[in-house]
Amino acid sequence: MTVLPNNPTVLIAGATSPSGAATAAALSAAGASVVAVGTNPARLNKLSEVAEGITSYVCDLADAEEVDRFAAQLHTDSGPIDGLIHLVGGWRGGGGIAGQSDEDWDFLHRHVFATLRNTSRAFYADLLASDAGRLSIVSSTAVAKPTASGAHYAAAKAAAEAWTMAVANGFRRAQSGRKDDPEPQRAAAAAFIIKALVDDGMRQENPDRAFAGYTDVRDLGDAVVQFMAADAGDVNGTRIPLAE
Ligand SMILES: NC(=O)c1ccc[n+]([C@@H]2O[C@H](COP(=O)([O-])OP(=O)(O)OC[C@H]3O[C@@H](n4cnc5c(N)ncnc54)[C@H](OP(=O)(O)O)[C@@H]3O)[C@@H](O)[C@H]2O)c1
């Protein structure tokens, strides 16, 4: 089993879905201190069933000012973070190109992109200063193969991927790519690429379904731990395919 050195503090942005619970469990088992964030206190409280010692905060991560207040509170409570695992998602679509609604775009922009932009800006200095700073998102195979009915979704995910690669560039330029005084690469940002997620509840509800090509949430949790443990120079700026 992988053990992460130095008890890193890892913030899971959007931690209350099955993928968040699986990621929190995997990170806790690997020795990380997990900070869970979501908007629903009852769902956050249930994470205590997943592993001991998870601390949780309620914050609308789509609201930049709220995120800045939350970051200040977390720094006061427990200091800087080492990892930011972004899991806020959601899907809207249908209706073909002309039918892509402003309401759906607003939802996807807020959930998929604004939450990532706000959190990565608020915690960028932490990740850069850490011995092993990490940022990951979970993107979609739809970016490379968009559909007309999912045009907004693919565009929002493409924006999130581009932002993540820009963060990776920032990390590289500040560390191994510095011309005057290069340092070893310590921080890394990457995007996991999946088709869809599956968990035990979905399997129980659909016992005859194969879920071909889906990624089990436990495999996502394990992949996050491996990403945290990997050499930063090897994983910074990468897209990591994950599929069953
Ligand atoms: N599910 C799939 O099949 C699939 C497919 C491709 C890619 N992905 C990506 O994989 C990642 C995880 O997927 P998922 O389905 O587990 O995600 P999700 O359920 O859509 O979102 C994860 C959590 O984010 C929280 N959240 C929503 N809005 C928030 C906000 N404004 N501020 C703070 N927290 C917020 C929700 O918790 P609260 O209720 O507590 O707010 C939710 O439990 C996402 O990036 C998703 O786009 C998923």
Side-chain angles (χ1 to χ4, degrees):
M1 193 181 73
T2 302
V3 177
L4 298 170
N6 306 322
N7 178 226
T9 300
V10 183
L11 191 163
I12 303 178
T16 59
S17 64
S19 71
T23 303
L27 285 166
S28 294
S33 295
V34 173
V35 179
V37 186
T39 63
N40 185 316
R43 295 182 75 186
L44 283 167
N45 285 340
K46 277 190 80 73
L47 281 174
S48 61
E49 296 167 12
V50 166
E52 284 179 15
I54 296 175
T55 52
S56 62
Y57 292 81
V58 174
C59 179
D60 177 359
L61 298 173
D63 181 328
E65 288 180 11
E66 214 176 297
V67 173
D68 287 345
R69 282 195 296 275
F70 157 61
Q73 184 65 53
L74 184 62
H75 288 147
T76 302
D77 293 347
S78 56
I81 65 166
D82 302 287
L84 171 58
I85 308 303
H86 181 272
L87 294 179
V88 184
W91 194 87
R92 292 286 187 280
I97 294 295
Q100 300 288 295
S101 73
D102 290 348
E103 193 185 354
D104 285 354
W105 175 247
D106 184 54
F107 172 90
L108 289 166
H109 174 264
R110 283 176 61 80
H111 283 72
V112 173
F113 188 72
T115 58
L116 171 66
R117 176 176 177 271
N118 294 340
T119 49
S120 57
R121 291 181 78 214
F123 292 101
Y124 183 77
D126 284 14
L127 301 179
L128 206 49
S130 169
D131 286 342
R134 296 287 183 276
L135 164 70
S136 71
I137 65 165
V138 182
S139 190
S140 167
T141 50
V143 171
K145 215 174 169 185
T147 62
S149 67
H152 275 158
Y153 176 76
K157 280 297 190 191
E161 273 189 40
W163 182 271
T164 303
M165 296 306 137
V167 172
N169 177 261
F171 287 160
R172 187 164 43 245
R173 287 172 67 97
Q175 295 176 344
S176 61
R178 263 173 62 177
K179 286 194 184 125
D180 49 347
D181 185 17
E183 308 165 16
Q185 189 71 43
R186 299 185 311 272
F192 296 109
I193 311 296
I194 65 165
K195 172 183 156 187
L197 293 169
V198 62
D199 60 77
D200 287 347
M202 289 167 68
R203 285 204 172 91
Q204 279 158 18
E205 282 171 23
N206 304 277
D208 299 327
R209 198 168 155 190
F211 293 104
Y214 281 52
T215 300
D216 193 287
V217 291
R218 279 177 294 249
D219 293 334
L220 174 62
D222 290 344
V224 167
V225 170
Q226 293 312 316
F227 171 62
M228 293 289 306
D231 184 286
D234 291 342
V235 291
N236 190 39
T238 58
R239 291 174 171 82
I240 303 168
L242 291 181
E244 273 191 346

PDB file of all heavy atoms in Angstrom, residues 17 26 38 87 121 139 157 163 167 178 183:
ATOM      1  N   SER A  17     -19.813  13.263  -3.143  1.00  0.00           N
ATOM      2  CA  SER A  17     -20.365  12.227  -4.029  1.00  0.00           C
ATOM      3  C   SER A  17     -19.630  10.917  -3.752  1.00  0.00           C
ATOM      4  O   SER A  17     -18.625  10.898  -3.022  1.00  0.00           O
ATOM      5  CB  SER A  17     -20.151  12.655  -5.480  1.00  0.00           C
ATOM      6  OG  SER A  17     -18.761  12.712  -5.723  1.00  0.00           O
ATOM      7  N   ALA A  26      -9.251   6.673   0.202  1.00  0.00           N
ATOM      8  CA  ALA A  26      -7.929   6.272  -0.309  1.00  0.00           C
ATOM      9  C   ALA A  26      -6.832   7.186   0.233  1.00  0.00           C
ATOM     10  O   ALA A  26      -5.764   6.721   0.645  1.00  0.00           O
ATOM     11  CB  ALA A  26      -7.938   6.295  -1.841  1.00  0.00           C
ATOM     12  N   GLY A  38     -17.865  21.036   0.505  1.00  0.00           N
ATOM     13  CA  GLY A  38     -19.076  20.903  -0.295  1.00  0.00           C
ATOM     14  C   GLY A  38     -20.056  21.973   0.140  1.00  0.00           C
ATOM     15  O   GLY A  38     -19.724  22.831   0.979  1.00  0.00           O
ATOM     16  N   LEU A  87     -13.246  17.860  -7.645  1.00  0.00           N
ATOM     17  CA  LEU A  87     -14.231  16.856  -8.094  1.00  0.00           C
ATOM     18  C   LEU A  87     -15.607  17.447  -8.362  1.00  0.00           C
ATOM     19  O   LEU A  87     -16.555  16.702  -8.593  1.00  0.00           O
ATOM     20  CB  LEU A  87     -14.376  15.752  -7.028  1.00  0.00           C
ATOM     21  CG  LEU A  87     -13.159  14.858  -6.770  1.00  0.00           C
ATOM     22  CD1 LEU A  87     -13.477  13.838  -5.671  1.00  0.00           C
ATOM     23  CD2 LEU A  87     -12.719  14.144  -8.034  1.00  0.00           C
ATOM     24  N   ARG A 121      -6.713  29.327  -7.716  1.00  0.00           N
ATOM     25  CA  ARG A 121      -6.097  30.637  -7.460  1.00  0.00           C
ATOM     26  C   ARG A 121      -5.878  30.847  -5.963  1.00  0.00           C
ATOM     27  O   ARG A 121      -4.838  31.333  -5.530  1.00  0.00           O
ATOM     28  CB  ARG A 121      -6.974  31.755  -8.024  1.00  0.00           C
ATOM     29  CG  ARG A 121      -7.009  31.769  -9.554  1.00  0.00           C
ATOM     30  CD  ARG A 121      -7.865  32.886 -10.080  1.00  0.00           C
ATOM     31  NE  ARG A 121      -7.187  34.160 -10.022  1.00  0.00           N
ATOM     32  CZ  ARG A 121      -7.795  35.323  -9.789  1.00  0.00           C
ATOM     33  NH1 ARG A 121      -9.088  35.364  -9.570  1.00  0.00           N
ATOM     34  NH2 ARG A 121      -7.110  36.425  -9.769  1.00  0.00           N
ATOM     35  N   SER A 139     -11.416  15.118 -15.954  1.00  0.00           N
ATOM     36  CA  SER A 139     -12.027  15.580 -17.195  1.00  0.00           C
ATOM     37  C   SER A 139     -12.644  14.393 -17.933  1.00  0.00           C
ATOM     38  O   SER A 139     -12.730  13.287 -17.399  1.00  0.00           O
ATOM     39  CB  SER A 139     -10.990  16.316 -18.057  1.00  0.00           C
ATOM     40  OG  SER A 139     -11.647  16.960 -19.142  1.00  0.00           O
ATOM     41  N   LYS A 157     -15.482  21.429 -19.966  1.00  0.00           N
ATOM     42  CA  LYS A 157     -14.397  20.517 -19.560  1.00  0.00           C
ATOM     43  C   LYS A 157     -13.089  20.878 -20.279  1.00  0.00           C
ATOM     44  O   LYS A 157     -12.010  20.785 -19.703  1.00  0.00           O
ATOM     45  CB  LYS A 157     -14.788  19.069 -19.851  1.00  0.00           C
ATOM     46  CG  LYS A 157     -15.707  18.453 -18.798  1.00  0.00           C
ATOM     47  CD  LYS A 157     -15.011  18.378 -17.448  1.00  0.00           C
ATOM     48  CE  LYS A 157     -15.762  17.572 -16.423  1.00  0.00           C
ATOM     49  NZ  LYS A 157     -15.185  17.727 -15.052  1.00  0.00           N
ATOM     50  N   TRP A 163      -7.103  25.248 -18.206  1.00  0.00           N
ATOM     51  CA  TRP A 163      -6.702  25.948 -16.967  1.00  0.00           C
ATOM     52  C   TRP A 163      -5.696  25.093 -16.193  1.00  0.00           C
ATOM     53  O   TRP A 163      -4.674  25.604 -15.697  1.00  0.00           O
ATOM     54  CB  TRP A 163      -7.950  26.245 -16.119  1.00  0.00           C
ATOM     55  CG  TRP A 163      -7.621  27.002 -14.872  1.00  0.00           C
ATOM     56  CD1 TRP A 163      -7.289  26.469 -13.654  1.00  0.00           C
ATOM     57  CD2 TRP A 163      -7.561  28.419 -14.718  1.00  0.00           C
ATOM     58  NE1 TRP A 163      -7.024  27.461 -12.752  1.00  0.00           N
ATOM     59  CE2 TRP A 163      -7.189  28.667 -13.377  1.00  0.00           C
ATOM     60  CE3 TRP A 163      -7.797  29.493 -15.574  1.00  0.00           C
ATOM     61  CZ2 TRP A 163      -7.041  29.967 -12.874  1.00  0.00           C
ATOM     62  CZ3 TRP A 163      -7.645  30.784 -15.074  1.00  0.00           C
ATOM     63  CH2 TRP A 163      -7.265  31.004 -13.750  1.00  0.00           C
ATOM     64  N   VAL A 167      -1.879  25.931 -15.088  1.00  0.00           N
ATOM     65  CA  VAL A 167      -1.322  25.825 -13.729  1.00  0.00           C
ATOM     66  C   VAL A 167      -0.032  25.001 -13.775  1.00  0.00           C
ATOM     67  O   VAL A 167       0.980  25.361 -13.157  1.00  0.00           O
ATOM     68  CB  VAL A 167      -2.346  25.187 -12.754  1.00  0.00           C
ATOM     69  CG1 VAL A 167      -1.697  24.887 -11.403  1.00  0.00           C
ATOM     70  CG2 VAL A 167      -3.552  26.102 -12.577  1.00  0.00           C
ATOM     71  N   ARG A 178      12.935  27.421 -14.222  1.00  0.00           N
ATOM     72  CA  ARG A 178      13.519  28.744 -13.930  1.00  0.00           C
ATOM     73  C   ARG A 178      14.907  28.853 -14.526  1.00  0.00           C
ATOM     74  O   ARG A 178      15.759  27.996 -14.282  1.00  0.00           O
ATOM     75  CB  ARG A 178      13.598  28.932 -12.411  1.00  0.00           C
ATOM     76  CG  ARG A 178      12.432  29.719 -11.870  1.00  0.00           C
ATOM     77  CD  ARG A 178      12.429  29.757 -10.383  1.00  0.00           C
ATOM     78  NE  ARG A 178      13.601  30.415  -9.825  1.00  0.00           N
ATOM     79  CZ  ARG A 178      13.759  30.612  -8.525  1.00  0.00           C
ATOM     80  NH1 ARG A 178      12.842  30.192  -7.686  1.00  0.00           N
ATOM     81  NH2 ARG A 178      14.826  31.212  -8.078  1.00  0.00           N
ATOM     82  N   GLU A 183      15.031  24.838  -9.654  1.00  0.00           N
ATOM     83  CA  GLU A 183      14.901  23.945  -8.501  1.00  0.00           C
ATOM     84  C   GLU A 183      14.329  22.629  -9.017  1.00  0.00           C
ATOM     85  O   GLU A 183      13.749  22.599 -10.092  1.00  0.00           O
ATOM     86  CB  GLU A 183      13.874  24.496  -7.497  1.00  0.00           C
ATOM     87  CG  GLU A 183      14.066  25.913  -7.061  1.00  0.00           C
ATOM     88  CD  GLU A 183      12.801  26.458  -6.385  1.00  0.00           C
ATOM     89  OE1 GLU A 183      11.917  25.668  -6.000  1.00  0.00           O
ATOM     90  OE2 GLU A 183      12.709  27.676  -6.260  1.00  0.00           O
TER      91      GLU A 183
END
